[in-house]
Amino acid sequence: ETGVTQTPRHLVMGMTNKKSLKCEQHLGHNAMYWYKQSAKKPLELMFVYSLEERVENNSVPSRFSPECPNSSHLFLHLHTLQPEDSALYLCASSQDAGYEQYFGPGTRLTVT
Amino acid sequence: QKEVEQDPGPLSVPEGAIVSLNCTYSNSAFQYFMWYRQYSRKGPELLMYTYSSGNKEDGRFTAQVDKSSKYISLFIRDSQPSDSATYLCAIFGSYGKLTFGQGTILTVHP
């Protein structure tokens, strides 16, 4: 595997379900990010982890819970989501929380 | 006022045309300006970045920043069908924070 990988690529879940998105980076970076991309809206930063510490939480609802167990892996735990949470969730990584960020292909989430 | 404004298009041009993509931003403190390209069903990839004002050229692509008017541009010369994608401008703040424009959908038709 190379670059940034994300699983699953597609996910359909009900509002009462609990699911997790997984991201893995193979670039040796020490910072990882979650972004949300909704139709007709700009890409929106959700969380930043640098050296496995959360350094930014962009006013994201508590139904989204990130976890960064090491510098290569990032999870986004989802529970009690709303239909408006349906979007493409993108993971990215960079060195030293810098501007050169590498994105994964995203998980297309549909909340029914 | 949004931090970054970008016309979503869509923009359709014939092959070989010069394409101009533009964004405006509101915070004059920003110093790094990025352009990302996103193909359908893929994540964004960094195309070019510019530090402060001025131009930067990479092959058929030129990025330009005018800090006095808070205006950033990407020019594509001799556009190709393979350039068809969504182009996202972004500005870089602290703690790895990238703020993106809405993205412009570009189609280059043969």
Side-chain angles (χ1 to χ4, degrees), chain A:
Chain A
E1 294 277 15
T2 58
V4 180
T5 58
Q6 290 187 243
T7 54
R9 294 293 308 274
H10 300 273
L11 179 63
V12 179
M13 61 185 288
M15 289 193 284
T16 57
N17 291 159
K18 289 185 180 181
K19 295 285 185 183
S20 296
L21 310 185
K22 179 183 175 183
C23 174
E24 184 172 0
Q25 60 96 1
H26 309 267
L27 300 167
H29 290 159
N30 57 14
M32 297 187 78
Y33 312 80
W34 280 116
Y35 286 87
K36 177 183 179 182
Q37 189 172 36
S38 304
K40 299 185 179 178
K41 286 187 177 180
L43 240 170
E44 182 184 348
L45 179 66
M46 299 174 73
F47 300 103
V48 179
Y49 276 84
S50 180
L51 299 172
E52 299 145 48
E53 296 284 328
R54 190 192 307 179
V55 296
E56 180 82 12
N57 174 0
N58 222 22
S59 302
V60 178
S62 59
R63 57 186 183 268
F64 295 91
S65 176
E67 178 190 0
C68 187
N70 54 61
S71 60
S72 299
H73 293 87
L74 185 65
F75 295 88
L76 188 63
H77 303 299
L78 315 171
H79 66 96
T80 324
L81 293 191
Q82 305 298 310
E84 60 264 29
D85 297 322
S86 298
L88 182 69
Y89 288 85
L90 290 157
C91 174
S93 71
S94 74
Q95 188 60 27
D96 299 330
Y99 56 82
E100 193 166 349
Q101 297 182 13
Y102 293 79
F103 285 80
T107 295
R108 173 69 61 187
L109 173 68
T110 303
V111 181
T112 59

